[in-house]
Amino acid sequence: MTHSIQVKDLSLNFGSVSVLKNMNIDVAEGEFIVLLGPSGCGKSTLLNCLAGLLDITDGEIWIKGKNVTWAEPSDRGIGMVFQSYALYPQMTVRGNLSFGLKNAKMPKEEIDKRIARAAGILQIEPLLDRKPAALSGGQRQRVAIGRALVRDVDVFLFDEPLSNLDAKLRSELRVEIKRLHSRLNNTMVYVTHDQIEALTLADRIAVMRSGIIQQLAAPQEIYNRPSNLFVAGFIGSPSMNFLHGATIDGGAAFQFASTKINLAGYEGGAILDRPKAILGLRPEHLHIQDHSEPGLTIPAVVEIDEPMGADSLVWLEAEGGLKMSVRVPVERRMAAGTPVHLKVDISKASIFDTASEQRV
Amino acid sequence: MADVAIHSATVVRPRGAKPKTRFSGGNIMLYGTLFVVSVYYLLPLWVMVMTSLKGMPEIRMGNIFAPPVEITFQPWVKAWSEACTGLNCDGLSRGFWNSVMITVPSVIISIIVASVNGYALVNWRFKGSEVFFTILIFGSFIPYQIMLYPIVILLREMHIYGTLYGLILVHTIFGMPILTLLFRNYFSSLPEELFKAARVDGAGFWRIYFQIMVPMSLPIFVVALILQITGIWNDFLFGVVFTKPEIYPMTVQLNNIVNSVQGVKEYNVNMAATLLTGLVPLIIYFVSGKLFVRGIAAGAVKG
Ligand SMILES: Nc1ncnc2c1ncn2[C@@H]1O[C@H](COP(=O)(O)OP(=O)(O)OP(=O)(O)O)[C@@H](O)[C@H]1O
Ligand SMILES: [Mg+2]
């Protein structure tokens, strides 16, 4: 497996503020990496560093086996798509697409050929002679993608390209970007704070917080085995249920209030006895039933149910006033006040050490 | 479109009280005030224009508001080409061309330099760029009087004291703070991502400036143009201090004509000379007033 992008010990400070801290990322050729994290965590900053638009404080960036740490943006073999489209307003679509190629002194026939190809792929041929002001949001974003496309580069950088579009257009373009990726097969680094985009597009997701990568793994891995409490809480909507308790019996069981849950079948490391631990359960990994099974169920009372179309969310209150959510088929309506038992699928659960916040 | 509008107008009737018509108290106050203010500003202009079209005998009769009985353009001709200042008797035309030769290069050079300054300060921040900017702005708070004599010495040392070049240099430098501020604020209101996109597209400092920034900045260039043309054309102080009689700008020459002590005071010539001098800024305002307002609105005075 050859590396397309390698980030080595990258740090970036704005004055005395450290925005990126000692980052290490290896991206394989053709891989689709999504940078995901809350606002202000440094996603755009990292992308700008990769593009060469910001001078880094420390570390190295390699693209395609070349050290590009101090190379100009245009010499890095990257194309970039911005959130605000950033189309040159005074140029036509054709002018926007050809600007970079003209700067590179490419012959006219070659420019025309590339524009024709990109316009074909993105279906923007009829728009080529319009100004950006005469385009819709979705069309503008296509042109912006086209501008990266004509550069014929190996690495695409996207900074929240869809977040200015409405929901319907967003899902359409999302699919289109995925199609584009499977067709061109180049490396993509994609910034978003939309989980759906991240989970659907990514080969691997890098979850970031305050300039530190919390976990870099495949979407399923991130979803099912979040490496720490932050990742667990950040991914998934509604978020994971967290039960604060302790692991006992040498790690064989989890004690939550008066409920004891059997941990046999947990997929993870040695659980051990931890006086303070957190059991994380996703809403879809709990099953509502009316009888209790010792060591396998948690008693709770239904508060409200929210039908959401495809399925339905049931909100319950467990011992100690803990609010929990469970996903059920939409036909299953639950009356408020019904006492029920939640069966735990321990093979899909996560246990966190309260002190270190790391997954056990 | 039109019939849609008519249709909706018949359906959606306006509600609430009818708007009051012309003669409400508020309107009388408003228009009254506007009328008084316009008279206040227009009356002197009226007097000037009328006087400049009268012959001296008629002026001596004393009714300054009355229109001329006999219209003569002789005062205008005299003001333009015959009036004497000191040793020269070729009228204001000399000053006019001097002012043109001072204003045109000063305006062009100062706008070019200031716009590049503003662009660099916003998009190519270098170490100490904020300090540089602060010093530049601070410069605009120092009273001119303090700097006059040092500049005289500087220009003398550079052997351009008393030349057009010297005055052009002074105007260019003194326009720098406000123009740089103007351009910096405008450029920082343009989306930063455009600049980044151009960098990724391989454009350098000058290409981004000429092909991306300038085409998007027409309004602010117009504002700068107006500020500089009127400012430099109307300048008197620098003209007096840094040049000598043969190359005095129009304003200085006007002053010398009006204040000349020899012979009788020719009010009609003086009025015509004053109007001639004010003509250039006036034309600029009339031609570009709309653009000016648009440019100001487009971010010139923002943050
Ligand atoms: N030029 C700058 N000077 C100082 N601090 C900056 C600068 N640019 C960004 N920052 C800070 O760096 C941090 C990361 O910013 P960044 O734009 O990378 O966040 P982000 O993850 O892209 O957020 P969002 O999802 O809102 O786009 C923020 O706290 C921001 O305030
Ligand atoms: Mg961002």
Side-chain angles (χ1 to χ4, degrees), chain A residues 48 51-53 72-74 78-80 82-91 96 99-101 103 105 147 151 159, chain B residues 123-125 190-204 207-217:
Chain A
N48 282 324
L53 296 167
E72 279 294 305
S74 50
I78 53 130
M80 192 158 176
F82 297 91
Q83 179 176 4
S84 64
Y85 322 128
L87 300 177
Y88 313 123
Q90 72 278 12
M91 301 182 195
N96 269 279
F99 183 66
L101 306 181
N103 290 340
K105 305 215 161 48
R147 197 166 52 183
R151 292 174 57 77
D159 193 354
Chain B
N123 289 313
W124 298 86
R125 296 212 184 105
L190 298 177
E192 196 191 357
E193 290 191 340
L194 270 175
F195 171 75
K196 290 182 174 174
R199 296 255 345 250
V200 173
D201 269 338
R207 193 182 290 273
I208 296 179
Y209 173 76
F210 283 114
Q211 294 194 7
I212 308 293
M213 294 300 176
V214 173
M216 286 199 297
S217 313

Side-chain angles (χ1 to χ4, degrees), chain A residues 6 38 46 58 60 76-77 83 117 129 131 151-152 160 164 210 225 244 296 302 310-311 323 356:
Chain A
Q6 283 174 288
L46 174 58
D58 206 5
E60 285 178 4
R76 295 187 176 207
Q83 179 176 4
R117 172 169 169 271
D129 294 310
K131 293 267 176 73
R151 292 174 57 77
D152 210 4
E160 305 202 32
N164 281 352
S210 337
R225 295 155 166 257
H244 293 256
L296 295 175
V302 175
D311 49 19
K323 306 283 186 224
S356 70

Side-chain angles (χ1 to χ4, degrees), chain A residues 155-350:
Chain A
V155 177
F156 273 25
L157 307 174
F158 291 90
D159 193 354
E160 305 202 32
L162 307 183
S163 60
N164 281 352
L165 304 174
D166 63 55
K168 185 164 174 292
L169 212 51
R170 197 180 310 167
S171 54
E172 278 173 25
L173 266 169
R174 195 175 69 214
V175 176
E176 211 160 304
I177 288 177
K178 187 149 191 167
R179 206 175 288 140
L180 194 69
H181 179 236
S182 62
R183 171 168 179 177
L184 303 174
N185 217 10
N186 43 11
T187 310
M188 297 198 173
V189 181
Y190 187 105
V191 167
T192 182
H193 52 232
D194 183 317
Q195 296 185 26
I196 310 291
E197 272 173 39
L199 294 168
T200 52
L201 289 172
D203 291 324
R204 282 192 299 160
I205 297 176
V207 182
M208 291 175 59
R209 174 168 67 159
S210 337
I212 297 170
I213 293 187
Q214 305 286 310
Q215 187 172 11
L216 175 57
Q220 280 315 305
E221 175 81 5
I222 296 234
Y223 193 78
N224 291 328
R225 295 155 166 257
S227 69
N228 62 35
L229 214 51
F230 172 79
V231 177
F234 188 76
I235 304 270
S237 169
S239 78
M240 197 180 243
N241 298 297
F242 292 120
L243 283 62
H244 293 256
T247 53
I248 52 171
D249 303 344
F254 182 85
Q255 183 80 44
F256 162 71
S258 66
T259 314
K260 197 165 149 182
I261 300 159
N262 202 336
L263 293 183
Y266 176 70
E267 294 182 2
I271 301 170
L272 310 175
D273 272 356
R274 296 170 198 267
K276 283 197 154 180
I278 296 168
L279 180 62
L281 301 163
R282 293 219 178 265
E284 56 271 39
H285 298 152
L286 288 164
H287 304 282
I288 297 182
Q289 57 184 42
D290 46 21
H291 59 281
S292 105
E293 289 177 57
L296 295 175
T297 58
I298 305 164
V301 177
V302 175
E303 275 200 323
I304 202 169
D305 73 339
E306 289 184 307
M308 309 213 301
D311 49 19
S312 175
L313 266 185
V314 180
W315 293 87
L316 311 101
E317 189 170 306
E319 269 179 283
L322 178 77
K323 306 283 186 224
M324 296 182 69
S325 59
V326 176
R327 207 183 288 274
V328 298
V330 74
E331 311 81 53
R332 183 155 183 197
R333 308 303 306 270
M334 309 286 303
T338 319
V340 294
H341 298 271
L342 308 177
K343 183 159 184 184
V344 176
D345 182 354
I346 210 68
S347 68
K348 298 207 167 108
S350 294

